[in-house]
Amino acid sequence: MFGDDSPAESMLFNSFVFVFAFLPLAFFLFWYAGRGVTWRLSLLTAASYVFYSWWDWRFTSLMLIVSTVDYWAAHLMGPADPSAVRHPLYRKLLLVLSLTVSLGLLAFFKYFGFFTQVTNQILDFVHGGQLPVLAIVLPVGISFFTFESISYTIDVYRGVAKPAHSYLDYACFISVFPRLVAGPIIRYSDILHQFREDDRFNRRRPDWNQVNIGLVFFVFGMAKKILVADRIADEVNPLWAAMHTWVQQGCVGTAPLGLAQSWVAVLGYTFQIYFDFSGYSDMAVGLGHLFALKLPQNFNSPYKATDPSDFWRRWHISLSTYLRDYLYIPLGGNRGGKQKRNLMITMLLGGLWHGAAWQFIVWGGWHGLLLAVTHVLRGRNWLLSNASAAGRWINRQVTFALVIVGWVLFRSGDVKDTKSATEGIVGAKHMFLSLLGANGTGIDEATKTEGSLRVSVTILVLIVFGWLWVNFMPNSFEIGYRVKLRKWHAALGGVALAVCVLYFGTKMDFLYFRF
Amino acid sequence: MTAAATSSEFTSQATAKAPAPAAADAQGQSSAFALVFVGSFLAAMAAFYIINILGNATQLFDSRINPSMQERPWKTRRLDEKVAAGQAPKVIVIGSSRSMQIRPQQLEYLTGKPAFNYGVSVSNPLDYLTQLRYLLKIGAKPDMIIVGVDEDAFGAPRQYIQFDTQLVAHWGLLRAMPSPEGIRLAGQAIASITPSKTLDSLLAIVSREKGPELKKSTDAVIFGDGYLIYRVRERTRAKLEADSNGDEAKLTSAIRTELSKLIRHEINRRGHEIEKQMLTPDPRQVELFDQFLTLAHDNSIEVRVMLLPLHPAYVKGMLDADLLKMRSDLGTRIAGMSKDHGCTYTDFTNLKSYGGDPDEFWDAKHQTPANLQRMINTLFGRKPEDPVPNIRPDLDTIVALERELKTPRKKGSPPPTVSTLTTR
């Protein structure tokens, strides 16, 4: 109703319709319009489908398909019990069916265009024909809920999880809206006990402890996203756009960004993606608490990491543990002397998960390389020790610099335009050259530039703030679960949320909605 | 799954787990925190919105402290004053900026009745209907309405929603708007509030009200009768005249060169696709236009509908055969609707139909007062070149206004009634 909340856009947490209509109504109905597990699961599922259909109701069919196929596949599989009557081949076939549906949907909607483009490039090279390129809409959140569905059936197959208690349980797990469109990626085994095995869904009234914590997480995440990430985006998006446009036009003339602008663009994005994504995850955790769910931590001060493997224990934790459990370990993990290979494969595919474009694969490969090298250096005891504060600090800054290199690769292309996949690599190359001052304009030209390419005091302040925050502040989990909440915190939080709401008219999408 | 093949690269989420439940219980089983949170949120929101409505930095609210200087609310307030003074106009011009230089003075001469130019930028049937409803509501029923219709006024994509939102900035206009447009635009106005606008609104509340001012870049100046003068464009033409030293051919060449640049710029800016979209009638806009004609007919108001011209060079450069047909079909449709409601319809898309001069355009779409005067003369069955007595040249009017604004005003005397726009 307000602003740009038209049905053509997904319902964002930072939107009028969500904050003023959907959330209060869903909360009220969840806690006060009925009670018992069935009511709560039903309401949550219905609300989640409404939430998703706000973007495009047709794509709720994907969630329905995934929910139905997986539920019945796991149900028919039964538990992985030697005494069970189901033949192992039968269970395997059901698993294959489930994986085929989930991966098939993901492959079609997310990767068909990319693979078609790559095939056409090959065919073009061998002077063959051309496959038709279809313009396929990427359903919001498909990367997340298909991964969750895959984890469920594999866990049931392996005997790690029991089949869902009911179709409603599973449908709720797949669709539950706080983490539907951008994670964290949750496992059914984590959520099952919250639905059924403790009394949280059976409570008569809200657990106000949890509601209070939820409000804190929600507003904290909202502030990170709106007051920091989006403000950084206002300043650095024009810089990246200028570089992208120049690359698209064939890199004619001097590169548009000088030394200072390039560093601002890169550092700005480094902090933007952290505050944006961790802010969303905080909001998701907060919303989970409002509805009696405890969602896992997804970020644990990643820029405090002291080496690349530590980084992946702190960044997008739900994805990295997923890749570990369902890709890296099945490949063999660190056994058989193939650890480096397995790391590289895992990270390449992890990069591909982020988007159907070469720059994501290269980004994944970069992190795979970092992990492999870290393993080698650790094996030879060549890593600087973290025992001393100085050693930890140096390791942290070196890791930070290596991560920044990855973000240049990650950001240089336009995720919506697969045609610019290779342009993304070219753009990254020129950004690196600009960072080294080797691409045309120097610092003097950069500071003199007018308009959208100018380096403002605002972005410099934001970058300094970002650096101080990620290096010295506790993260949201350390704050949210440990601080004794007072009423003045509540008042401050309410005012902070109101300030955030004032920015809703100029809202920007969450970066990870594109994945 | 076995846990045997774990690696130091990926470990479980061992760090920074949530603290033990005892710590969480320490928050207390109380809804007071949540109530304070929600209460302070709502109080802060109310305070922010009140500040924005009163201070009106967005210029989209009906504020007494900082009245909106946008065209729609500003012109409506002028009408309110006239009605309050017992001088309600009987002849009203509505339409877009392409109609805003139709002189009320000429209409008064032709009809013998007080006139007002109620034209506003990017006007469309939503404006026509809302403005008429408002006039009727305040007891200012006109005898005649002249509607200058642009060929893109019925266009589907509302690319200029920021203009429509101006209707919110006058409470009477907001209430006169049809639903759901009124609700949607009110929401749009609320969504336009930002922290910086809130701060500006707060400053506007505490600062002293300034009178009208003419900045160097101010081009459009609107007067109390709704008439618009393009200050910068008048000066530009005057300079071209002065530079030509009385050489008509040189002047004509200079004007045409200037026009050609502006027309080319508009063609490039607009593009074929946008033009096509804007020539495609939106069913809702057609419906609103029908409601407007019906309302006028039901209130015995004479309506004269005109389809306005474009510069021939723009037509040639932009409108291919398909687009020309679309414009023609739109004209036929408007003509049919006008006839059905007892209104007159005149197609002025051909300059020759009213003796229009292609050099008497400011740009691809906006005619100078000279051409508009010819058009209105033709509309009233007179010869295009028939003079209108006592018309002061617009440049003289602007010079006088500038002088008046620079002269210190006597204490208590009101400033000149003008609205100045720096957006064009």
Side-chain angles (χ1 to χ4, degrees):
Chain A
M1 176 176 141
F2 293 105
D4 281 336
D5 286 339
S6 65
E9 297 183 357
S10 51
M11 190 193 298
L12 303 176
F13 295 161
N14 55 324
S15 64
F16 289 105
V17 67
F18 183 83
V19 169
F20 287 101
F22 179 87
L23 183 60
L25 186 62
F27 182 82
F28 175 78
L29 290 174
F30 184 85
W31 287 111
Y32 295 99
R35 62 172 296 194
V37 176
T38 303
W39 165 254
R40 300 251 152 89
L41 287 175
S42 303
L43 194 284
L44 205 49
T45 307
S48 301
Y49 270 78
V50 167
F51 179 83
Y52 195 78
S53 65
W54 197 266
W55 166 63
D56 192 324
W57 64 270
R58 296 171 299 175
F59 288 98
T60 56
S61 58
L62 299 183
M63 286 200 301
L64 266 176
I65 291 169
V66 162
S67 302
T68 306
V69 169
D70 289 353
Y71 172 75
W72 283 107
H75 184 70
L76 292 170
M77 254 192 243
D81 182 340
S83 65
V85 298
R86 287 161 178 91
H87 195 279
L89 181 59
Y90 175 73
R91 297 182 83 245
K92 194 170 269 188
L93 284 172
L94 288 167
L95 175 67
V96 167
L97 169 68
S98 167
L99 293 181
T100 302
V101 169
S102 297
L103 288 172
L105 286 174
L106 189 62
F108 176 73
F109 283 100
K110 191 164 180 178
Y111 299 107
F112 185 82
F114 175 63
F115 290 132
T116 305
Q117 189 183 10
V118 170
T119 306
N120 282 341
Q121 284 171 344
I122 296 170
L123 289 175
D124 200 40
F125 182 72
V126 298
H127 301 296
Q130 289 280 295
L131 297 175
V133 177
L134 303 176
I136 300 174
V137 172
L138 176 64
V140 172
I142 192 170
S143 305
F144 293 90
F145 66 76
T146 50
F147 263 34
E148 285 162 348
S149 79
I150 290 166
S151 76
Y152 170 66
T153 44
I154 290 175
D155 284 352
V156 171
Y157 177 77
R158 288 173 175 172
V160 173
K162 291 185 285 192
H165 184 274
S166 69
Y167 181 74
L168 181 60
D169 285 54
Y170 189 69
C172 188
F173 159 69
I174 283 293
S175 64
V176 68
F177 74 89
R179 34 58 55 204
L180 177 57
V181 289
I185 301 170
I186 54 177
R187 315 282 181 92
Y188 186 71
S189 51
D190 291 336
I191 215 83
L192 167 66
H193 74 91
Q194 298 187 52
F195 284 170
R196 297 277 174 188
E197 292 170 17
D198 57 32
D199 76 340
R200 63 182 70 212
F201 265 49
N202 239 336
R203 290 178 64 95
R204 200 161 165 269
R205 288 290 177 258
D207 178 345
W208 289 106
N209 284 340
Q210 298 305 312
V211 170
N212 297 341
I213 292 171
L215 290 172
V216 167
F217 269 96
F218 185 72
V219 76
F220 200 65
M222 181 79 77
K224 282 163 84 174
K225 156 68 179 166
I226 288 182
L227 302 183
V228 184
D230 286 356
R231 305 293 59 83
I232 293 175
D234 280 344
E235 301 285 331
V236 304
N237 281 353
L239 301 176
W240 286 99
M243 180 62 90
H244 180 62
T245 302
W246 179 72
V247 168
Q248 278 196 319
Q249 290 171 354
C251 304
V252 175
T254 313
L257 301 186
L259 184 70
Q261 293 160 315
S262 306
W263 276 102
V264 162
V266 169
L267 285 173
Y269 184 72
T270 298
F271 296 120
Q272 180 197 347
I273 192 168
Y274 167 69
F275 283 102
D276 189 287
F277 197 12
S278 68
Y280 175 87
S281 296
D282 289 344
M283 279 193 264
V285 167
L287 290 170
H289 277 297
L290 295 182
F291 295 91
L293 291 172
K294 190 162 182 307
L295 300 181
Q297 185 179 18
N298 219 10
F299 290 85
N300 182 21
S301 306
Y303 292 150
K304 290 179 183 170
T306 52
D307 60 62
S309 58
D310 188 27
F311 176 78
W312 281 101
R313 286 193 290 273
R314 295 168 176 268
W315 178 276
H316 204 176
I317 298 168
S318 63
L319 176 68
S320 65
T321 53
Y322 188 100
L323 293 173
R324 175 200 67 195
D325 293 339
Y326 299 105
L327 193 53
Y328 178 71
I329 290 174
L331 282 173
N334 60 359
R335 293 181 300 183
K338 293 203 169 103
Q339 183 179 35
K340 292 187 282 296
R341 180 203 74 164
N342 295 339
L343 283 170
M344 188 57 83
I345 291 172
T346 302
M347 294 313 295
L348 283 171
L349 290 175
L352 186 62
W353 176 89
H354 281 79
W358 285 113
Q359 73 261 28
F360 297 115
I361 298 171
V362 172
W363 170 79
W366 168 248
H367 276 276
L369 177 66
L370 289 180
L371 289 174
V373 168
T374 303
H375 165 73
V376 169
L377 295 178
R378 187 179 290 126
R380 295 180 187 182
N381 217 17
W382 285 1
L383 287 176
L384 186 63
S385 168
N386 286 326
S388 68
R392 265 198 314 278
W393 182 256
I394 292 170
N395 282 336
R396 208 196 265 191
Q397 302 313 312
V398 168
T399 305
F400 184 61
L402 293 171
V403 166
I404 287 175
V405 169
W407 290 137
V408 174
L409 298 166
F410 194 86
R411 178 64 175 87
S412 291
D414 184 346
V415 301
K416 290 178 187 170
D417 181 13
T418 54
K419 282 172 64 178
S420 71
T422 46
E423 286 167 357
I425 305 301
V426 173
K429 170 199 155 193
H430 284 285
M431 182 61 88
F432 284 126
L433 290 173
S434 295
L435 288 172
L436 298 171
N439 208 21
T441 53
I443 195 166
D444 286 341
E445 283 304 314
T447 54
K448 283 179 193 166
T449 307
E450 293 182 11
S452 62
L453 298 191
R454 190 186 169 135
V455 171
S456 67
V457 172
T458 306
I459 186 58
L460 293 175
V461 167
L462 285 167
I463 286 173
V464 169
F465 169 83
W467 186 84
L468 289 170
W469 183 279
V470 302
N471 276 284
F472 299 109
M473 285 293 288
N475 61 52
S476 49
F477 266 61
E478 289 163 344
I479 294 172
Y481 287 118
R482 292 180 186 168
V483 169
K484 185 167 171 56
L485 296 177
R486 310 272 186 210
K487 288 199 179 70
W488 72 265
H489 292 135
L492 184 65
V495 173
L497 182 60
V499 173
C500 291
V501 167
L502 294 183
Y503 279 107
F504 280 8
T506 56
K507 67 175 181 283
M508 295 196 195
D509 279 350
F510 290 91
L511 291 176
Y512 263 70
F513 273 21
R514 304 170 192 176
F515 311 134
Chain B
M1 180 191 90
T2 71
T6 56
S7 150
S8 61
E9 272 66 30
F10 301 104
T11 62
S12 58
Q13 292 173 244
T15 52
K17 278 186 182 166
D25 284 342
Q27 309 301 352
Q29 293 275 355
S30 166
S31 59
F33 182 94
L35 288 173
V36 170
F37 181 95
V38 173
S40 61
F41 167 65
L42 292 174
M45 289 303 312
F48 289 148
Y49 285 138
I50 288 169
I51 289 170
N52 274 279
I53 290 170
L54 289 177
N56 198 22
T58 61
Q59 293 283 287
L60 294 175
F61 298 104
D62 193 348
S63 163
R64 297 287 169 93
I65 297 172
N66 186 17
S68 174
M69 298 300 279
Q70 306 280 2
E71 291 163 11
R72 286 156 175 81
W74 189 88
K75 283 199 175 185
T76 306
R77 292 200 301 274
R78 302 290 78 75
L79 267 176
D80 292 339
E81 287 164 4
K82 288 184 185 302
V83 169
Q87 295 166 356
K90 290 296 176 190
V91 178
I92 297 280
V93 174
I94 58 177
S96 74
S97 51
R98 287 155 75 175
S99 303
M100 283 167 74
Q101 287 204 288
I102 294 175
R103 284 182 202 281
Q105 202 175 345
Q106 181 185 11
L107 292 168
E108 285 166 5
Y109 170 69
L110 291 170
T111 63
K113 296 176 183 178
F116 184 82
N117 188 313
Y118 205 2
V120 291
S121 294
V122 200
S123 181
N124 61 83
L126 173 64
D127 287 296
Y128 311 161
L129 178 62
T130 304
Q131 287 170 318
L132 177 56
R133 279 185 177 185
Y134 182 70
L135 285 166
L136 295 172
K137 201 176 171 74
I138 60 172
K141 181 176 89 77
D143 294 337
M144 180 191 296
I145 296 179
I146 295 166
V147 189
V149 177
D150 301 349
E151 71 289 331
D152 57 4
F154 291 80
R158 294 308 305 150
Q159 297 195 16
Y160 302 104
I161 193 170
Q162 69 267 30
F163 290 94
D164 291 348
T165 315
Q166 292 178 13
L167 290 167
V168 175
H170 187 285
W171 181 236
L173 284 179
L174 174 59
R175 287 191 300 175
M177 263 200 276
S179 286
E181 283 83 3
I183 298 170
R184 181 172 53 83
L185 292 175
Q188 192 72 30
I190 291 171
S192 68
I193 293 173
T194 61
S196 63
K197 290 291 184 194
T198 305
L199 198 56
D200 290 342
S201 294
L202 197 56
L203 292 171
I205 290 171
V206 300
S207 66
R208 212 173 293 176
E209 187 188 333
K210 292 180 191 168
E213 53 180 321
L214 291 178
K215 296 178 191 163
K216 202 173 176 185
S217 57
T218 304
D219 186 18
V221 182
I222 306 175
F223 290 82
D225 59 357
Y227 181 65
L228 163 74
I229 296 178
Y230 286 117
R231 176 169 162 255
V232 171
R233 298 178 210 201
E234 285 285 345
R235 286 193 183 281
T236 304
R237 281 276 166 120
K239 188 170 184 312
L240 289 178
E241 260 186 60
D243 290 347
S244 67
N245 285 320
D247 184 340
E248 284 291 331
K250 189 177 175 187
L251 175 61
T252 303
S253 171
I255 288 172
R256 286 180 185 175
T257 303
E258 182 68 20
L259 265 177
S260 176
K261 261 193 314 191
L262 290 167
I263 291 168
R264 179 54 40 197
H265 176 258
E266 181 64 15
I267 291 172
N268 291 338
R269 186 192 72 85
R270 183 88 154 176
H272 184 273
E273 270 315 299
I274 299 285
E275 192 70 40
K276 189 174 177 183
Q277 285 169 12
M278 295 308 289
L279 282 172
T280 307
D282 180 35
R284 179 59 178 163
Q285 293 286 14
V286 174
E287 186 189 339
L288 292 172
F289 187 63
D290 186 75
Q291 288 182 25
F292 161 75
L293 293 177
T294 303
L295 187 60
H297 179 262
D298 291 348
N299 284 274
S300 307
I301 300 171
E302 181 189 351
V303 177
R304 298 191 185 201
V305 180
M306 314 183 290
L307 186 59
L308 297 175
L310 296 164
H311 193 283
Y314 183 82
V315 173
K316 192 174 171 189
M318 178 62 99
L319 303 187
D320 58 16
D322 286 340
L323 295 184
L324 279 171
K325 179 153 188 330
M326 286 174 80
R327 184 171 76 156
S328 171
D329 289 345
L330 178 69
T332 305
R333 193 169 184 180
I334 297 172
M337 291 173 76
S338 302
K339 188 179 170 197
D340 290 344
H341 291 85
C343 310
T344 61
Y345 169 79
T346 312
D347 184 339
F348 280 125
T349 54
N350 185 346
L351 267 61
K352 290 190 175 115
S353 64
Y354 62 98
D357 182 350
D359 295 335
E360 290 294 343
F361 272 78
W362 294 119
D363 53 39
K365 299 185 179 184
H366 297 85
Q367 300 183 89
T368 66
N371 256 8
L372 287 167
Q373 184 170 306
R374 294 183 181 114
M375 197 164 70
I376 295 296
N377 273 341
T378 306
L379 185 70
F380 281 85
R382 298 170 77 97
K383 289 185 195 147
E385 298 304 326
D386 278 355
V388 176
N390 303 320
I391 294 288
R392 188 186 197 182
D394 287 350
L395 188 60
D396 292 354
T397 306
I398 284 296
V399 168
L401 174 66
E402 287 170 351
R403 196 179 303 127
E404 189 178 350
L405 288 174
K406 278 183 192 153
T407 309
R409 281 200 325 272
K410 284 185 192 151
K411 199 175 176 180
S413 67
T417 308
V418 290
S419 171
T420 60
L421 304 166
T422 56
T423 56
R424 288 181 278 144

